[in-house]
Amino acid sequence: VKLANKYLMPLITRGTGTGKAGGAIPDKNGVVVSLERMNRILNIDPINRTITVEPGVILSDLQEAIGKEGLWYPVDPASADWCTIGGNVACNAGGPRALKYGVTGDYVLGLKGVYGDGTFFQLGGKLLKDVAGYDLKRLLIGSEGTLGIITSITLKLLPPPPPEQVIWCGFDCISDGIDFLIAVLSQNIQPTAAEFMPGVCLKAVESYQKTVFPFSHHAAHLLLVLDARYQLDYSILPSCHRVQFDNPEALWAIRRDISESLTHVSISKCSEDITVPVSQLPALMRGLQRLTDQSDYVCLGYGHLGDGNVHVNVLNTDQPIEKWQIDQPYLVERIIKLGISLGGTLSGEHGIGLTKKPYMPLYFSERDITIMKGIKAQFDPNHILNPSKVFD
Ligand SMILES: Cc1cc2nc3c(=O)[nH]c(=O)nc-3n(C[C@H](O)[C@H](O)[C@H](O)COP(=O)(O)OP(=O)(O)OC[C@H]3O[C@@H](n4cnc5c(N)ncnc54)[C@H](O)[C@@H]3O)c2cc1C
């Protein structure tokens, strides 16, 4: 990092490159700092209930290691088998269980690493409470490689979760599914996960997995995870078709394969992860349908709808690529403006990176962005770290 400062050479920190906002893409000259091989688990501490790791540990390896100690880390993005924990901290990754258990940042107790000028930092530790000074650790969480290179992470762990039930429901139309979800969330229970999928997602997974699901004819689907002790009141919406299925893991495999499957059924696609208040989901879904009707593309929303985090995908199934390239930014801007108009934000978990950078002024005031630039200048005075990401 000191050399990079001397030669004013950009450094692009990289975990395993699964980030969905292009944050690890070296779009300018510079050096990619791959942390893939910094993958040691340094310490599992059952008394303090913490794990300390290097950033290149793959999340599922971390989950397996702590499982052997009878402990649990709840954050479980669909990319758990491929992404690094460093990338998770840098993007503040979420996932299905965020609805009940929160996101990566809620579990980070300590960070070590290097600021942009090459000086080392050590923030927090195995402390469950720490309010000393400004929370620099929090600024690094979600900073997408622009403020520091994280080289060691201490996470808070939990005891294993209570027994859970996995429920799959089919619906005759998208609005029935959304109404049911909102009714469930309005009951006095806390779902662990509530993943919503329009029928087109299931059809894509069928084609990708080369299989047929007996329930794929429904127009919308909801994968619900609840503590086993909860009894759901299905009378709240009679149009919910409960699907009986013996293997919950296969249901999760459907959910996890959606992103990849949609790539296979379209010539090109783009994926946004706006978040809106749950009460605005019906309006958002109506808006996406309007966009589909008014354009030559399919605009659909799926994902962690229980916490309002919608993976909006625009699919190009039959238009020439040249036309797509012109239309796509316009459609994305309309989707983002729609989300913001409903009280939403640009990104719930994927971050800003390269792809959402143009939309920052739609969400933040000029003054907000000036303050962010000032913070960046303090952490990274020569603008070495991931210089073209988040904002110019
Ligand atoms: C199929 C699929 C499903 C996904 N599902 C989810 C999901 O459910 N929830 C979710 O939140 N995300 C999801 N993602 C997105 C992605 O997996 C996460 O953002 C993940 O945290 C990125 O980790 P990575 O190791 O691949 O990071 P990379 O892509 O390599 O990097 C991402 C950003 O973090 C920075 N960075 C990486 N490591 C460090 C470090 N040690 N120090 C400083 N900066 C660093 C990079 O510079 C870059 O800006 C999914 C991705 C895919 C492909």
Side-chain angles (χ1 to χ4, degrees), residues 147 366-380 383 390-392:
L147 299 184
E366 221 178 297
R367 176 82 181 119
D368 296 336
I369 293 176
T370 305
I371 290 175
M372 287 189 213
K373 287 182 178 172
I375 291 170
K376 163 100 174 140
Q378 286 299 318
F379 278 73
D380 178 24
H383 218 62
V390 184
F391 40 68
D392 282 319

Side-chain angles (χ1 to χ4, degrees), residues 17-262:
T18 68
K20 289 203 157 190
I25 290 176
D27 61 322
K28 297 249 164 85
N29 281 342
V31 171
V32 175
V33 182
S34 170
L35 300 178
E36 234 172 330
R37 290 197 291 169
M38 278 190 82
N39 61 358
R40 287 178 305 162
I41 292 177
L42 302 173
N43 174 256
I44 298 180
D45 180 341
I47 295 178
N48 291 305
R49 275 212 203 121
T50 58
I51 184 169
T52 301
V53 293
E54 291 181 337
V57 173
I58 298 292
L59 178 58
S60 57
D61 292 341
L62 182 152
Q63 290 164 333
E64 196 184 321
I66 56 178
K68 286 183 187 151
E69 304 293 324
L71 291 164
W72 188 55
Y73 175 66
V75 186
D76 194 20
S79 50
D81 285 339
W82 318 292
C83 63
T84 65
I85 188 68
N88 290 176
V89 174
C91 295
N92 202 1
R97 290 174 181 277
L99 179 55
K100 177 172 180 184
Y101 291 102
V103 297
T104 307
D106 298 320
Y107 294 86
V108 176
L109 299 179
L111 291 178
K112 288 186 195 171
V114 186
Y115 290 130
D117 61 359
T119 52
F120 288 100
F121 64 80
Q122 173 169 357
L123 301 165
K126 294 182 178 181
L127 305 168
L128 291 174
K129 283 179 155 182
D130 178 6
V131 295
Y134 292 160
D135 198 345
L136 299 181
K137 179 164 55 68
R138 263 283 160 185
L139 282 175
L140 283 155
I141 296 166
S143 63
E144 302 185 61
T146 61
L147 299 184
I149 300 178
I150 298 161
T151 57
S152 164
I153 299 154
T154 299
L155 297 169
K156 174 171 81 172
L157 303 177
L158 299 181
E164 290 174 339
Q165 52 180 320
V166 177
I167 295 166
W168 187 287
C169 303
F171 301 91
D172 297 333
C173 62
I174 287 184
S175 63
D176 276 0
I178 298 289
D179 288 349
F180 182 80
L181 170 65
I182 290 177
V184 169
L185 294 171
S186 313
Q187 293 186 29
N188 197 15
I189 57 175
Q190 175 56 63
T192 302
E195 297 290 307
F196 186 84
M197 297 147 265
V200 61
C201 296
L202 266 277
K203 293 285 175 202
V205 176
E206 276 186 330
S207 139
Y208 179 65
Q209 291 187 358
K210 298 191 177 32
T211 186
V212 175
F213 306 118
F215 44 87
S216 64
H217 56 280
H218 293 302
H221 304 261
L222 182 66
L223 171 61
L224 207 54
V225 182
L226 302 173
D227 288 2
R229 69 193 161 98
Y230 288 134
Q231 192 69 38
L232 204 59
D233 178 7
Y234 288 96
S235 65
I236 49 178
L237 205 92
S239 64
C240 151
H241 307 285
R242 176 91 189 266
V243 171
Q244 301 298 337
F245 210 83
D246 294 334
N247 181 2
E249 194 32 53
L251 296 178
W252 276 113
I254 295 175
R255 167 63 188 88
R256 274 195 290 268
D257 276 349
I258 290 177
S259 175
E260 191 61 22
S261 304
L262 290 174

